[in-house]
Amino acid sequence: MGKTLFDKIWENHLVKHIPDGPDVLYIDRHLVHEVTSPQAFSALKKRGLKVFRPEKTFATCDHNVPTENQDKPISDPSSRNAVEQLAANTAENGITYFPLGDPGNGIVHVIGPQQGIVLCGQTVVCGDSHTATHGAFGNIAFGIGTSEVEMVMATQCLLQSKPEQARITVDGRLAENVTPKDVILYIISRLGTGGCTGCFVEYAGEVFRNMSMEGRMTVCNMSIEMGAKGGMIAPDSTTFEYISGRRFAPSGRQLEECKAFWQTLRTDDDAVFDREYRFNAADIRPMVTYGTNPGMGIPADGVIPDEAAGCDSATFDKALAYMGFRKGERMSGKKIDYVFVGSCTNGRIEDFRAFAKAVGGRKKADGVTVWLVPGSREVASMIESEGIGDALRSAGFQIRQPGCSACLAMNADKIPEGKYAVSTSNRNFEGRQGYGARTILAGPLVAAEAAVTGRIGVPSGL
C-alpha cells in the first residue's frame, strides 16, 4: 500500500514510537503570539529552563493589539501587559520577535509564510487553532494547547497520536466570482462542522492545483471548522515560486536542493485514506453563513433551509433565533451594519486586490461601518504601493493597521450587540466578534458587495 503525503512527513519527523501510546514528533517550526505563550514561558522559568532551540521559534503580537495608533503605548492595561511580556520573554530566550511597528509584524499565520519561515514538508505548531493555515505548503501544521507549547519550548518535540486521514477532491473550474473562501464554506456546509472530526485532510483536484498560495492558505485555515486537526495541499511550482526570495527562505543551491526534496512530497497513487469526499466546482457559488457555526452556509442568493448538515434541530433553531432569521427567508437583500475584511483567513494582499476590484469605483453605503485590516505590515505596504489604499479611501473606506482585529473580541474592534457584520474571518459563533454580535461569514467579493450596497448580495462589481 502506498503512502499519503501526511504519512511521509509524519515518518520523517518520528523520533520515537511508544507502543500503545502516542508518537514523539520533532517540530520544525514553533510560532508564538502574546495570548497563549505567557504561561508556558513562566512554567519554563520555574523549572530553570530556557527554550531549547530558539532558532526554531518565531514570535509576533497580533491578537490583543489595537489597529489604530500603533505608534503610541497600548491603552488597555491587559493588552499592554501581554505584549510587554512577549517582548521580555522572547528577548530572554533569544527568539526572533516581530514587535508592533516592525516591518515583519502581523498576524502569526500571515507572517509565517510571508517571511519564508514556513516552508514545505515541515511540522508546524502554534498555540492557535488556525495553525492549519500552514498546511497549504504541504506541512503537518496544527494548533496546540499551553502545556504543549511548553513541551515544544523545552524539547522541540511533541507527543502526538497519529490521526485518521481524509481526502477532499474538487475538480472542474470555478466560476469567475467564486473565491477560495467560497470553496471552503461550501465544503463545510456539505460536511458539517463535525464532518472531518479528528482527521488530517488533504485537499486534491483541479481546483486546488489552480489556486494561488493565498487561496490555498484560506482553505487550509478553515479545515479546523469542520472538526479536522489540520489541512494540507501537496507542494508544487506555485508553492516554490511563492517561497523563493523570502527573508528566511533558503536561496541559491540550497533552495534547489530543497525543491528537489519538496517535489517528492505527494501522495502515492495507491495510498488509501480513511475517508474520501468529492465535489464539483460547478456547484460552488458565492457563499454566506446564516447561523452560528461555519457549517450553516448557503449561496449568497439562497434560501435559509430547514436543517444544516450535522446540526440537530434544537441547535439549528437556537442559531436562527440568535441571528434573527427564519427558515425559508432569502439571504440576498438582508441589511447589514458592519463589514470586516481581514484576519488570518482573508487578510492577505490578494484579498484586498479582490475587494478593491469588486468595489469597482463605487462608494461605501451610508450607515455601514467598514473595517479593512491588513494581515501584516507587508500587506499594508503593498496596499499603498499598488494604489489600492487611495482607491478604497476615496470610496469612503477606512484602512486600519495590522492585527487580528474584529476576528475575535479580544481587542477594541468589536461589533456592537445586535448588529449584523459580514466578515471574511473564520468563525461566526455567538459573541465571537462581540457580545450579541451577529456574524455572516463570506469571502472578499461578497464583503465588497455588502460594503457598497449595505445588503447581502451576489458580487456584481467585476
Side-chain angles (χ1 to χ4, degrees):
M1 186 185 298
K3 294 179 180 179
T4 65
L5 168 60
F6 182 89
D7 291 332
K8 293 176 182 181
I9 300 172
W10 186 278
E11 290 171 10
N12 283 343
H13 293 79
L14 183 62
V15 176
K16 184 178 181 180
H17 174 69
I18 301 172
D20 300 319
D23 288 342
V24 181
L25 283 187
Y26 181 77
I27 302 301
D28 291 305
R29 293 289 184 269
H30 186 195
L31 306 175
V32 169
H33 56 75
E34 77 276 17
V35 176
T36 55
S37 64
Q39 302 94 324
F41 278 116
S42 295
L44 281 189
K45 201 165 189 176
K46 286 179 182 177
R47 295 166 60 190
L49 300 174
K50 286 197 172 184
V51 175
F52 178 49
R53 290 189 172 166
E55 72 280 5
K56 304 293 184 183
T57 300
F58 296 82
T60 188
C61 49
D62 55 6
H63 282 60
N64 283 37
V65 302
T67 58
E68 294 181 297
N69 302 314
Q70 289 185 353
D71 58 327
K72 296 179 174 59
I74 298 174
S75 58
D76 179 71
S78 61
S79 297
R80 184 174 64 250
N81 180 59
V83 172
E84 289 174 351
Q85 273 192 300
L86 182 62
N89 285 327
T90 52
E92 185 178 341
N93 286 275
I95 291 169
T96 299
Y97 172 49
F98 305 102
L100 280 184
D102 187 280
N105 176 259
I107 301 172
V108 65
H109 305 311
V110 174
I111 69 165
Q114 195 170 257
Q115 294 293 323
I117 293 165
V118 173
L119 303 173
C120 305
Q122 296 178 319
T123 48
V124 182
V125 298
C126 175
D128 186 282
S129 59
H130 292 104
T131 309
T133 306
H134 309 284
F137 291 79
N139 293 320
I140 295 178
F142 55 96
I144 57 176
T146 300
S147 61
E148 293 173 310
V149 170
E150 180 188 351
M151 186 186 302
V152 176
M153 286 179 175
T155 67
Q156 206 57 40
C157 291
L158 194 60
L159 291 170
Q160 284 289 298
S161 297
K162 191 175 182 181
E164 289 189 347
Q165 298 175 58
R167 179 164 58 187
I168 296 175
T169 303
V170 186
D171 281 317
R173 299 193 70 82
L174 297 172
E176 184 181 6
N177 61 351
V178 173
T179 70
K181 181 65 162 290
D182 300 314
V183 173
I184 189 61
L185 284 176
Y186 173 81
I187 291 170
I188 300 170
S189 76
R190 293 291 303 275
L191 300 182
T193 53
C196 288
T197 297
C199 289
F200 239 91
V201 175
E202 180 175 344
Y203 297 97
E206 184 181 359
V207 163
F208 303 112
R209 287 195 299 272
N210 290 335
M211 268 187 195
S212 66
M213 287 311 300
E214 286 89 346
R216 294 178 190 185
M217 283 186 262
T218 294
V219 169
C220 289
N221 174 277
M222 289 193 67
S223 301
I224 191 92
E225 310 309 339
M226 54 185 169
K229 192 171 179 65
M232 63 199 316
I233 297 172
D236 56 18
S237 58
T238 301
T239 321
F240 309 152
E241 184 178 345
Y242 181 95
I243 290 172
S244 181
R246 296 189 182 271
R247 178 179 173 186
F248 291 94
S251 59
R253 183 175 177 179
Q254 185 184 14
L255 177 59
E256 294 307 310
E257 291 173 351
C258 286
K259 285 163 64 175
F261 168 65
W262 294 340
Q263 286 170 345
T264 70
L265 296 174
R266 56 191 63 257
T267 293
D268 296 333
D269 292 340
D270 57 343
V272 176
F273 288 82
D274 297 290
R275 308 182 200 179
E276 290 265 16
Y277 302 100
R278 287 186 172 274
F279 300 103
N280 189 334
D283 296 332
I284 305 175
R285 294 153 62 192
M287 298 285 291
V288 293
T289 59
Y290 57 86
T292 56
N293 72 57
M296 300 176 76
I298 54 174
D301 58 355
V303 172
I304 296 174
D306 292 335
E307 59 183 6
C311 187
D312 63 72
S313 59
T315 301
F316 187 86
D317 291 343
K318 181 174 180 287
L320 289 189
Y322 180 86
M323 293 296 293
F325 295 157
R326 296 191 305 274
K327 299 171 185 177
E329 285 186 325
R330 285 203 170 272
M331 286 299 290
S332 58
K334 285 195 173 295
K335 188 177 180 301
I336 58 96
D337 306 291
Y338 282 75
V339 172
F340 167 57
V341 179
S343 83
C344 60
T345 315
N346 284 119
R348 299 174 182 83
I349 187 60
E350 184 178 276
D351 301 304
F352 291 96
R353 289 171 181 157
F355 180 88
K357 184 179 179 182
V359 167
R362 295 177 289 175
K363 302 292 185 181
K364 182 182 76 67
D366 291 339
V368 177
T369 300
V370 182
W371 292 331
L372 307 179
V373 187
S376 71
R377 295 274 293 189
E378 186 172 314
V379 172
S381 295
M382 294 174 76
I383 286 172
E384 300 307 329
S385 66
E386 295 181 16
I388 295 171
D390 289 340
L392 292 177
R393 277 188 288 270
S394 68
F397 301 113
Q398 180 188 25
I399 301 174
R400 304 179 82 128
Q401 294 172 302
C404 290
S405 185
C407 176
L408 74 173
M410 197 174 277
N411 49 68
D413 300 351
K414 295 178 175 65
I415 308 300
E417 183 178 2
K419 299 298 183 181
Y420 290 98
V422 171
S423 176
T424 67
S425 52
N426 42 48
R427 286 180 175 163
N428 54 340
F429 304 156
E430 291 187 21
R432 170 75 176 184
Q433 293 191 287
Y435 178 80
R438 293 162 161 173
T439 300
I440 298 165
L441 298 179
L445 302 187
V446 172
E449 191 67 17
V452 298
T453 66
R455 298 181 181 278
I456 301 294
V458 176
S460 60
L462 295 175

